[in-house]
Amino acid sequence: TCQSEMKLAVLIHLRVWKLWVGNMQNYASKRPISRPNLLQRVRLCRRKIHDRYIENQRAWIRNIGLSILGLAIGVTILNLMLPRPSHFDSTPLNQQMTVGTQAKSATLTQREFNAKQGVLQLNFSLSDDNNGNTDSLVNVSDFNFQAVAEHGGSHVNGQVIPTSDNTVIVRFNHLARGFNAVFVSISDKQIDPSQITNPDNTAALSSAKKSTSAAPKSNATFVINRDKVATNNVLKMVSQKQLALQEYDHKISLENKLIKINQASMKKLNQAIKQSLSTLQTYQNQLQKSGDDSENSLTQSIQKVQDNIQEAQSGITAAQQNITKAKADKSDLLKTKSAIQSNKITLPKVRNL
């Protein structure tokens, strides 16, 4: 009985302990949460402001970094896609360049590029006299061509294609669409006797070496920057014969234009002569009716009109001569074109650059 009473007492104490612990937990959970005081609120507010500032700084730095990275990528892409010229100015079209020391010259007349096909075509006219006369016959083989393409790609190649007696096309194939520039150098193969010295004694050897080393350079360099090249998306790789026929068609069109201009000049000069004759008749009538005071002035006016008539007549004579020559040149060009079409003329050999 004593043991049973002790067990009962222990159970009662355990039950009371559990009840007390449960009541204490319920009391703790129901106690109101104490609010932070003013100092704690200030500290909490400052911490939030500081954390927000740090986050804003991080976002600003992140945006700046992304902007710089995007700008660098964009500049790189534009640099690869858009043409960038060289450090040299492009040679203007139709500007005569002296070649060598024997009055030869070359002129760049046209520059076209087909970016899709990678074909760059440069048209040159050559001259063998001091006046740069492009109508004169030229030995094309006397001119040496060399070319360099800046960022032109690893598969680029070039050709020198004679198209007439005084015209040449320098054509580049497989040229990268983003090339920077092309440099074409033309030199004279012929030896200039005036640049050769003949020393007659040993004392003159040193001066002969100096004169030889100081000889002028015999090349003309043409700079063709990408941004100055005309775009021609229909430009294709055609044969030398087709290029020659195109060149002769161009020359024939120029002769036709020359004939039309001279014909228009003759028409205007004839009109000027008619006007001058009418004015002359008026002055002569006034001269017959005038007195001695105005006679001298009218005589000078009549002389001036007569000079104008004579000048107009000289202009008509020159225009007629120009038309006659242009028609003869046109006839020769048509004959040469016909001979090329029928393969009766062998064109100069195409050379690789």
Side-chain angles (χ1 to χ4, degrees):
T1 58
C2 291
Q3 292 180 351
S4 61
E5 290 178 356
M6 290 180 64
K7 291 181 180 180
L8 180 62
V10 171
L11 291 173
I12 292 172
H13 282 291
L14 290 174
R15 182 64 178 170
V16 172
W17 172 256
K18 288 182 181 180
L19 290 173
W20 182 81
V21 171
N23 290 332
M24 291 299 295
Q25 289 179 349
N26 292 333
Y27 174 76
S29 62
K30 293 179 180 180
R31 288 181 60 189
I33 300 174
S34 60
R35 296 182 179 180
N37 57 29
L38 180 61
L39 182 59
Q40 291 175 338
R41 289 180 181 179
V42 171
R43 290 177 178 175
L44 182 61
C45 184
R46 290 181 60 184
R47 184 179 299 172
K48 289 182 178 179
I49 293 174
H50 180 267
D51 294 342
R52 188 178 301 173
Y53 173 77
I54 295 297
E55 184 63 27
N56 291 337
Q57 288 293 105
R58 290 175 179 173
W60 182 77
I61 294 173
R62 182 172 61 251
N63 293 336
I64 291 294
L66 291 176
S67 299
I68 294 175
L69 180 61
L71 181 62
I73 294 174
V75 170
T76 303
I77 294 174
L78 289 176
N79 189 35
L80 294 174
M81 295 181 62
L82 297 180
R84 181 168 56 88
S86 67
H87 299 293
F88 302 93
D89 295 332
S90 292
T91 304
L93 292 177
N94 302 315
Q95 176 176 306
Q96 181 181 346
M97 302 279 286
T98 302
V99 178
T101 58
Q102 301 185 81
K104 295 180 181 179
S105 64
T107 304
L108 177 64
T109 59
Q110 191 174 4
R111 50 196 177 195
E112 293 181 321
F113 180 54
N114 186 342
K116 295 180 179 179
Q117 301 293 331
V119 178
L120 174 66
Q121 184 170 299
L122 307 174
N123 294 49
F124 290 91
S125 63
L126 308 176
S127 176
D128 200 7
D129 59 21
N130 289 318
N131 298 323
N133 183 12
T134 56
D135 294 332
S136 60
L137 298 180
V138 176
N139 187 2
V140 178
S141 60
D142 289 341
F143 292 82
N144 183 45
F145 288 79
Q146 293 180 334
V148 175
E150 186 176 307
H151 296 288
S154 58
H155 302 290
V156 62
N157 59 76
Q159 294 175 312
V160 180
I161 308 172
T163 54
S164 72
D165 294 327
N166 55 7
T167 57
V168 167
I169 286 179
V170 176
R171 186 172 64 189
F172 294 86
N173 310 318
H174 308 296
L175 185 64
R177 66 169 60 217
F179 77 95
N180 288 353
V182 168
F183 302 88
V184 178
S185 178
I186 306 177
S187 59
D188 186 6
K189 290 182 179 180
Q190 286 189 332
I191 298 174
D192 186 359
S194 64
Q195 301 298 320
I196 300 175
T197 57
N198 300 312
D200 55 357
N201 54 62
T202 56
L205 290 177
S206 59
S207 61
K209 292 181 179 179
K210 291 181 180 180
S211 62
T212 302
S213 61
K217 294 181 179 180
S218 59
N219 61 333
T221 301
F222 293 83
V223 181
I224 299 92
N225 286 315
R226 174 67 180 88
D227 58 345
K228 297 296 182 181
V229 177
T231 300
N232 184 356
N233 292 326
V234 298
L235 183 65
K236 297 180 180 179
M237 295 276 295
V238 296
S239 64
Q240 182 186 19
K241 180 179 178 179
Q242 289 175 297
L243 291 173
L245 293 175
Q246 292 175 4
E247 178 62 33
Y248 276 93
D249 285 337
H250 175 66
K251 289 187 174 184
I252 291 170
S253 66
L254 291 179
E255 296 297 339
N256 288 330
K257 184 177 180 180
L258 183 62
I259 292 172
K260 289 181 179 179
I261 291 175
N262 280 275
Q263 288 175 342
S265 298
M266 287 179 60
K267 186 177 180 179
K268 290 182 179 180
L269 290 171
N270 282 320
Q271 292 176 352
I273 290 175
K274 290 181 179 179
Q275 293 175 353
S276 298
L277 289 174
S278 177
T279 303
L280 181 62
Q281 184 64 39
T282 302
Y283 286 161
Q284 288 176 345
N285 293 336
Q286 291 179 358
L287 183 61
Q288 293 176 358
K289 299 176 182 180
S290 65
D292 295 337
D293 295 338
S294 59
E295 181 178 351
N296 187 26
S297 176
L298 286 172
T299 301
Q300 292 179 354
S301 298
I302 291 173
Q303 182 62 43
K304 184 178 179 180
V305 173
Q306 289 175 341
D307 292 341
N308 290 339
I309 293 174
Q310 185 175 0
E311 184 178 357
Q313 290 174 341
S314 299
I316 291 174
T317 301
Q320 289 175 338
Q321 293 174 351
N322 292 338
I323 291 173
T324 302
K325 182 179 181 301
K327 288 182 177 180
D329 292 341
K330 177 183 175 181
S331 177
D332 293 339
L333 291 171
L334 288 171
K335 291 178 181 178
T336 305
K337 177 185 175 183
S338 177
I340 293 175
Q341 286 177 325
S342 57
N343 296 322
K344 293 181 180 179
I345 291 180
T346 303
L347 295 169
K349 193 175 181 180
V350 176
R351 290 174 283 169
N352 294 323
L353 289 171

